Amino acid sequence: MSDLPLREPCSPACCSSVPRCGAELSQASPAVGWSSLWASQNTAPHVAKGLLWEPDTPGPLPLLPPGPDPWDPGVTAQDLLFRGGYQFRRQPQAVLDVSEQLSRFLWDHGDIAFAPLGKLMLENFKLEGARSRSKKKTVVSVKRLLQDLGGHQPWGCPWAYLSHRQRRFSILGGPILSTSVASLLGELLHEELALRWEQLLLDDAFTGGALAWVPGRTPGSGQLVYPAGGALDRLYFQKVNLTPGSEPRVLGGPGHIRLRGPVRQVVTRTVQGEALLAVRSDYHCALWKVSKQGQPAPLQVLQVEKGATGISLSPHLPGELAICSRSGAICLWTPQDGLQQIYKDPETLVFRDPSPWRWADFTAHPRVLTVGDRTGVKMVDTQGPQGCGLLLFRGGAEASCQKGERVLLTQYLGECGPECLHPTLHLICTQFSLYLVDERLPLVPLLKWNHDLPSAPLLARLLPPPRTGLPRPLLLAGQGGELQLLHIAGEGASTPRLAGPPQSLPSRSDSLSAFAPLEPKSQWRLQERLTAPAIGLAAAIPPSANTPVLSLFQLSAAGDVFHQGLHLQADPGPDSPAPTASWTPQATASCSRWLKALLEVPPAPPVWAAPTFSHRRLLGCFEPQKAESKAPEGLRTAMAKGRLLQLRDLGLLPTEERAPAPEPGPEDELSERLEAAWEGQAAAWWERRRGSSLGPGKQPKRHKRRTQLSNTFSSLSGRLDLSDAASPPPSPERTLPAARPQPPVTPPSQESTQELWARAVPSERQQTLRDYMAELPLQGDAPGGASVPSSQTSSVRATPSRQRAAVRSGSQPHCKKPRMGF
C-alpha cells in the first residue's frame, strides 16, 4: 500500500506527526515501544491523584417532565420465544414461536392476510345477507358470518362457540386458508421474527447516541438537543444553564421540529467558531447550523434509500458530513461539492458477517476516513481509487480478540488543542473490550481493557480535562443504561494510558429509592420507565474556580432526560472511607413531581388484546346496577392496621350469626311437607292439608288407587324418626324356633298412626297396609333391655328383604303373596 496518496494535515502545529505516505506507516512502527502497547490489560497505573468523581445523589434525577405521549416498550423475549421446549436438551437454545405469532398476525391484521383471498372465494359468498332459499350448501351469508365472528372468543375462552355458518365457512376456506396463507406469510413472518430477535440481542439503531449538548454564548450555558414523543419524531431544543454547586436550571419551554421519521442519532461539533448539528433518521439525514442565539437553520436534507446507519461531522472543515448506508456505501457531503460516493463494498472487511451495519469517521488527515463494520476498521482515501485502503483494526489474533467478538462503535479521539491527546488515536469498542488504536501503528492496539459491561457499549463521550494537568475523562455507556468513567492520559508524544482505576457511575435504575412506594401496577410502570434502554449520552464541565463539576445527561428510549451531578474529590487518602451520597429534600420533591406527571399519562395500549365477550344478545335489555361496596375501604383499613381481612371489614354478616331461612310461600307444598316429616308431624300435616283442600260438608273423592297408596307410603316413611328408631320385638307367630314365645306388644302410637292413615285408604287395601307397617322397624326396646346400636338399626332398615327372609324361614306357614308388589 505504498502508493496510497495522503493529503496534508489540517494544522502543522497539532498534526505534524501524521504520516505522508503508506511507507511511512510501516517505518513509524518501531517508534512506539512494544512494552507500552498493551498498557497492561485491565490494570491502570495511578498517575494522578484525586481522580474520584463523587455523585451528588445516589442516582440521576429527572430533569424534564415526562412527555404527554404514552411509551410502548415493544416486544420482549417472552413474546417471541416458544414457551415449551425440550426438557432434556444438553445445550438450551432459543426457539421462536412462529405458530403463535402467525395466529396473532392473522387475528390482528386479517385485512392484510385475507384480502387477496377475497376474489378467489367471491363466487362462494352471498353478500346481500338475506336468507338463501337455494339448496346449494356452498353459499355463506357474509352478514350473519360477521355477526358470529364478532362474538367469537379465541385462546380457549369458555364462551366461545361455533355456529353452523362458521363450520361451513371453515369447510369452504379450509383448503385455501391452511395452505395459501401459511405459505405466503410463513416465510415472511419467520424472517421478521428473526430480525426482531436480533434487535432484542443488539439494537444498533441508536449507535452514537441521540442526545447532544450545544454550547451557548457564555460559559455554562447551552442547550440540549434530543428526540421525544411516542415515535421519537420530534426534535427538541431545550436551553439549560449550568451553575457549579447547584442543579441545572431549565430556561423556558423547549422548541421542537417535527420530522418524518424517528430520530436515531444526533451529532454536534463546533468548527472554526461555527456550531453544526447533524441528525440521522432511518431513511433521512439533515444538517443544521446553530446560531449564537441558539436558533437552528437548515442547510441540507438527504434521503437514503437503503437506510442510514451512521453519520459523522468533520473536525476539519465546517459543514462536511459523512453518511453510511446499509448497502455498504459511504458518501461524503460538503456545501461546495454536494454529495459524492467515496466507498462501497457490500461485503465485510475481514470475514463474512450478515450484519449490514456500517460506520464512518474522520482521521487526522482531512481527506482520509475510517470505514468500519462488525469485523474490522479500514482507512480509506477519499480522493484515491475506490477499493484501496489500509486495515486499522480487525477482530483476530493481532488484538487478542475473543471468539465471536464484533466491532460495535468506532470514534475518532484526536482534536486540535493545547491539551488534546495525540491526533492519530481512535477508540474501538466491542461487546467485551475497549481498544485504543493509533493510525501510525495499525492492527496492534496501544491499549486494551475489558469493560465488563452487561450490555453493548454503543455510547462514548471524550470530555476536556477538568483542570490543567489532569487526564481527560472518557464516558462509556451500555445499552442497558450502565455507565463507566475512565481517565486517559498521554498528551503530546507520550503513550496513551489509563490514569487510575475506572469508576462505575449510578444508573437510572438506582433512582428508584427516591420515589415513594406505589401500588404494584404503578410500581411496575415506574420500574419499566426507569429501566428503559439508553439511547443518548451528553456531558459538560462548566467553569469552576474551586472543585471541578461534571454535569451528566442521559436520554432513555421513553424520551426522558435525566441529570447527574458529580464533583471531583480532592486527593482522597488510601485509608479514607468512600463518601456516600444521600437524597436531599429537593431531590425527592423533584422525583415526586415527575412521578405525578408520569401517572397522569395514559398507559400505552397493548399490542394485542383478546376481544371482549359480546353480551348484546344476553344483557341488551339490562342496565348495570351501581351498588355501594365497603370492600375497598375495608381492605385499606385492614392493610393500614396490619391485620387479616375479616368479614365485618367487607360489610358482611359475622360467622356466628346465621342468616334467617326464607319463609316458605303459600304454594311451597314440598317445603312444608319435608319440614313436617323432619319434625315427626307428617300425620298432622296430612290432616291439615286434607282438611284445607276439602270444604265443610264435602266428602273426600276416591282418587286413583295407585297414586293414593303411593302417597300414603311416602308419608309413612316421612313419619318415622330415622335417628332413634329401633327394630320392634318379634311377634309370636313369626318367632324363630330357638326364641321364647312372648305376647305381642304394639306401641299405642303405632296403632293410632295406623288408624289415622287407614281412614284415607280404601278398605280393600287396609290389610295390605297393616302387613307392611308390621314389618317396618319402629322405635322400641330390643329384647333383654339392650337397645340396638344405630349401625345395626341402619343395617336392618337398609335391608328389609333380609329381615323378611329371616322371619319367614321359621316354623310359620307360608303367607299368601300380597298384591301390588308388597
Side-chain angles (χ1 to χ4, degrees), residues 150-153 610-614:
H152 178 64
Q153 290 291 311
T612 57
F613 176 65
S614 178

Side-chain angles (χ1 to χ4, degrees), residues 652-715:
L652 303 179
L653 294 177
T655 54
E656 56 271 11
E657 297 182 4
R658 292 186 179 181
E663 298 181 359
E667 302 298 334
D668 196 356
E669 179 183 351
L670 179 60
S671 300
E672 295 180 356
R673 180 178 177 183
L674 293 177
E675 183 180 359
W678 182 262
E679 296 177 355
Q681 303 295 332
W685 175 85
W686 176 258
E687 291 296 329
R688 291 196 307 269
R689 182 67 180 172
R690 182 169 173 270
S692 61
S693 59
L694 298 176
K698 294 184 179 180
Q699 298 295 332
K701 297 182 179 179
R702 184 172 183 179
H703 302 282
K704 294 183 179 180
R705 300 176 180 177
R706 183 183 301 273
T707 304
Q708 188 174 8
L709 188 60
S710 62
N711 292 340
T712 305
F713 291 158
S714 61
S715 301

Side-chain angles (χ1 to χ4, degrees), residues 131-148:
R131 186 173 182 179
S132 176
R133 297 182 179 180
S134 60
K135 297 181 180 180
K136 188 177 181 181
K137 298 299 182 181
T138 59
V139 178
V140 178
S141 176
V142 178
K143 181 179 179 181
R144 297 297 180 88
L145 179 62
L146 294 179
Q147 292 179 357
D148 295 343

Side-chain angles (χ1 to χ4, degrees), residues 9-20 316 364-365 412 415-416 423:
C10 61
S11 175
C14 66
C15 302
S16 58
S17 60
V18 178
R20 298 296 182 91
H316 310 293
H365 199 286
Y412 174 58
E415 293 181 359
C416 299

